[in-house]
Amino acid sequence: MIRSLGALILLMMLSFPAQAGQPTIVTSIHPLALVVKELVGDDARVSALIPANVSPHHYSMKPSERRRLQNAHRFIWLGPAKEPFLEGTLDDPDLERRSLALDRGDATAAHNHDTAQEDPHIWLNPDEVRAMLPPIVDSLAQLEGLRRPQLEENRQQFLERLAAAEDRIRKRLDKLPAMDVFTYHGAFHHFAEHFDIRIAGTLTANPEQNPGARHLAELQDKLNNARSPCIMTEPQFSRNWWEGLNIDQPMSVSHWDPMGTEVEIRQGGYTRFLDQLADALVNCGP
């Protein structure tokens, strides 16, 4: 009996050697985990620090999440210019050595949501994601268990899937009738501008601040004069502001999730995420 149990344990150990030796990669946000998973496939464990159903604008790190960072072989984040709330986390020199910041620009720009250029939600633009890939590959290739040739092959396959997804989405969106799209804040501009979708109005320039009375009055006028107005709501923010507006014409309401909460972290996940964003627009059409 003891001999049989020992043989079983040995068989189990031999069955999972790759899993035991896999590097652990933690990203700041869920969409970034989707991108990294496209590159590493099954050769690494990838997870996001901030839960997908939590807005980064209101995030406060828990002790368990800090421990995950300490145990990660690599931490990949957008950088202090895009995620200033994480900057103090990297005071630990050892963690900083194991981290990759994709953008080390001016951190003050991260608080200004007035334009797509200044908005931190760059993962919504496929061109921005393409620009992330080389530094991510360079960083991950330094980890034991990940080989540069395989990472480069995965990157090329991802680029092909990404191009196919863009073509598929453009064909779908080109069929939409004319409509004016209204969003909660500036995040959607990254996706909209890439796919030539016009944003007619935004509820707030900064989701950390409530919209002012004058801005709400102007937004209400825009909605009343819009062509087939479409309101895009987000799961991370309340719909009460929209419901409080006095609109005299029918409106379509759709739900889009900039964090990809329901998208599984696996290869093909990022393009599925883009498809879901397109679904939200199609569902909002008149």
Side-chain angles (χ1 to χ4, degrees):
M1 179 68 177
I2 295 177
R3 182 177 299 176
S4 299
L5 180 60
L8 177 60
I9 293 174
L10 178 60
L11 179 61
M12 293 175 64
M13 292 174 63
L14 292 175
S15 299
F16 303 101
Q19 182 72 16
Q22 284 185 330
T24 298
I25 303 165
V26 175
T27 66
S28 55
I29 54 174
H30 186 77
L32 194 52
L34 297 177
V35 173
V36 171
K37 191 63 174 177
E38 300 282 6
L39 298 174
V40 301
D42 295 330
D43 294 331
R45 295 183 291 272
V46 181
S47 63
L49 178 68
I50 303 174
N53 61 346
V54 174
S55 169
H57 300 287
H58 305 129
Y59 173 69
S60 179
M61 187 180 299
K62 300 177 181 178
S64 60
E65 293 164 345
R66 186 173 295 275
R67 286 193 295 272
R68 286 177 55 213
L69 281 184
Q70 296 298 331
N71 294 329
H73 295 97
R74 186 69 81 240
F75 174 53
I76 302 177
W77 62 310
L78 296 176
K82 300 292 189 294
E83 297 172 323
F85 54 90
L86 287 175
E87 190 170 10
T89 303
L90 300 182
D91 290 341
D92 180 353
D94 178 61
L95 179 56
E96 185 174 11
R97 178 183 58 81
R98 291 182 283 112
S99 299
L100 170 65
L102 294 171
D103 181 1
R104 291 194 173 276
D106 182 5
T108 60
H111 294 289
N112 188 335
H113 288 63
D114 289 342
T115 67
Q117 288 73 28
E118 296 170 335
D119 192 287
H121 304 78
I122 58 175
W123 63 87
L124 297 168
N125 184 337
D127 286 339
E128 295 280 2
V129 169
R130 286 186 177 89
M132 296 178 186
L133 301 183
I136 294 177
V137 168
D138 288 343
S139 178
L140 296 182
Q142 301 172 22
L143 297 180
E144 184 176 352
L146 294 178
R147 299 181 301 109
R148 180 178 290 275
Q150 186 62 57
L151 291 169
E152 291 289 0
E153 181 179 339
N154 291 346
R155 180 171 76 101
Q156 185 57 42
Q157 292 176 355
F158 173 44
L159 289 173
E160 293 171 1
R161 289 195 299 272
L162 186 56
E166 287 174 295
D167 183 61
R168 179 173 64 248
I169 290 171
R170 288 188 190 280
K171 289 178 180 178
R172 294 183 66 198
L173 298 183
D174 284 346
K175 297 177 182 178
L176 287 177
M179 64 181 182
D180 287 337
V181 178
F182 293 80
T183 65
Y184 180 82
H185 71 309
F188 196 71
H189 284 266
H190 281 286
F191 181 86
E193 291 185 4
H194 183 78
F195 290 104
D196 301 318
I197 299 297
R198 177 177 176 269
I199 302 297
T202 300
L203 182 65
T204 178
N206 187 340
E208 297 174 8
Q209 300 176 358
N210 291 332
R214 177 182 296 180
H215 178 72
L216 288 175
E218 293 174 351
L219 185 65
Q220 184 170 276
D221 288 341
K222 287 183 178 180
L223 280 163
N224 279 318
N225 292 289
R227 302 169 303 170
S228 303
C230 159
I231 291 180
M232 304 287 283
T233 65
E234 303 177 35
Q236 292 84 12
F237 301 104
S238 171
R239 294 176 54 174
N240 292 342
W241 288 108
W242 295 113
E243 295 170 353
L245 298 176
N246 184 19
I247 310 303
D248 298 327
Q249 66 166 318
M251 296 185 302
S252 298
V253 178
S254 189
H255 171 91
W256 80 288
D257 182 1
M259 303 306 294
T261 304
E262 298 180 357
V263 181
E264 181 184 356
I265 299 176
R266 60 174 177 81
Q267 283 186 310
Y270 180 76
T271 51
R272 175 60 190 139
F273 171 53
L274 293 180
D275 281 327
Q276 286 191 354
L277 299 181
D279 290 344
L281 274 173
V282 171
N283 292 338
C284 207

